[in-house]
Amino acid sequence: MLGFFAGFKAVFRGADWVYRKRLRLARIWVFPIAITFVCFAAVFVSSVFFSDDLLALFWSDAGSSSWWKNIVHTLLRWVIGIALAVGGVVLVYFTSTIVAAPFNDVLSERIEKEASGANIEPLSWMELGHDILRTVSMELVRFLVYLLIMVPLFVLSLLVPGVGQVAYAAVGFLFTAFYFALDYMDWPMARAKMTMSERFSLIFRYPGTALGFGTGVWLLLFIPIVNLFFMPAAVAGGTLLFLEIREYSRKQQRSPERQN
């Protein structure tokens, strides 16, 4: 049976697959995590060592004898360092989805093959390039849709306290949950040669299941940096849930035929 709790449990089924049943698949998903952590380390090191250089571009008398100038200089250096760190973290989070895309595709492919026994063709270089372009386009679309929906709601939350804030939180949660459901079920849907309209149709045909799965993914990915370790579980859960939904849909289609 499908539904909210079936979708919610799919995330933890995925975690059980990658962290217990198929731990050998760690040789696939460990690389994007390692690369992302190296990038995070580079961001924080750069924010410490380059803040002085950036400040020196418009303030050269760092060794001033004036105490208030030294205080302002120190504050500006901290502000620049924090700005570099925040900007770098946002950039890494955006690019990490691109870096992880081919690894997640291979992970999803292996899980689908082992779960269903299907004969899946290996990922080609052309498909790899298409997968990266798809990831970039989805992130851009997500960002634009987020701006179009959430910015007006944020303004509404400021103008209409209470009701506006509730609407902002509710719509933001629903949008994020359904996006996560589509995002982490997208790899097996792409291998099934589904068009984008067919993918959206599948998600909204089972809204409770999609909402439950997206909620589970949201909980796993809520904590920054730590969420990198849970991305493989979300990929595995999305793949297993897609197989379950596809099998359920086939049974539903066969039932009327048997009755006729």
Side-chain angles (χ1 to χ4, degrees):
M1 295 296 294
L2 298 178
F4 180 88
F5 291 104
F8 187 81
K9 290 189 295 185
V11 182
F12 301 94
R13 287 172 53 208
D16 186 53
W17 266 67
V18 295
Y19 302 134
R20 188 178 70 87
K21 292 181 178 179
R22 303 295 191 276
L23 188 58
R24 65 181 183 278
L25 295 177
R27 65 179 184 269
I28 299 173
W29 54 259
V30 73
F31 288 104
I33 294 177
I35 293 171
T36 305
F37 266 103
V38 170
C39 292
F40 274 129
V43 164
F44 288 113
V45 170
S46 300
S47 65
V48 172
F49 286 96
F50 291 109
S51 58
D52 279 334
D53 294 334
L54 290 176
L55 182 56
L57 294 176
F58 59 90
W59 191 336
S60 58
D61 58 340
S64 174
S65 59
S66 176
W67 61 271
W68 67 268
K69 285 187 177 181
N70 289 331
I71 293 177
V72 173
H73 184 274
T74 301
L75 289 175
L76 286 176
R77 185 178 62 188
W78 275 97
V79 169
I80 292 175
I82 293 173
L84 286 174
V86 172
V89 167
V90 172
L91 181 62
V92 169
Y93 267 113
F94 178 77
T95 56
S96 64
T97 59
I98 301 173
V99 172
F103 296 96
N104 289 339
D105 198 350
V106 173
L107 175 62
S108 175
E109 178 184 323
R110 295 290 181 85
I111 291 173
E112 181 176 351
K113 186 174 182 179
E114 294 187 18
S116 65
N119 185 19
I120 302 173
E121 296 181 0
L123 186 67
S124 66
W125 286 105
M126 182 175 295
E127 290 173 330
L128 176 61
H130 179 269
D131 190 37
I132 294 175
L133 290 176
R134 178 198 60 82
T135 302
V136 174
S137 62
M138 284 195 67
E139 289 298 320
L140 291 175
V141 169
R142 176 190 177 187
F143 181 70
L144 291 176
V145 173
Y146 184 88
L147 290 179
L148 291 174
I149 296 177
M150 300 308 297
V151 170
L153 285 176
F154 177 73
V155 174
L156 179 65
S157 68
L158 297 178
L159 298 177
V160 187
V163 176
Q165 293 169 352
V166 170
Y168 177 78
V171 174
F173 167 73
L174 289 174
F175 174 76
T176 302
F178 279 106
Y179 174 81
F180 279 149
L182 177 63
D183 192 28
Y184 284 97
M185 291 173 63
D186 191 65
W187 287 287
M189 287 193 288
R191 285 192 297 273
K193 309 299 182 182
M194 296 176 64
T195 64
M196 189 57 66
S197 61
E198 290 174 336
R199 300 177 200 185
F200 278 105
S201 176
L202 182 69
I203 291 296
F204 291 109
R205 195 183 310 156
Y206 305 98
T209 306
L211 180 61
F213 177 64
T215 301
V217 174
W218 180 79
L219 290 175
L220 286 182
L221 304 183
F222 184 75
I223 305 175
I225 299 179
V226 177
N227 56 13
L228 295 173
F229 289 102
F230 294 117
M231 187 182 295
V235 174
T239 303
L240 295 173
L241 183 60
F242 170 76
L243 296 177
E244 186 176 354
I245 290 176
R246 185 174 63 180
E247 182 62 25
Y248 180 82
S249 298
R250 289 173 177 174
K251 289 180 179 179
Q252 292 295 102
Q253 293 173 358
R254 288 195 294 265
S255 296
E257 296 176 358
R258 292 177 180 177
Q259 293 176 0
N260 293 332

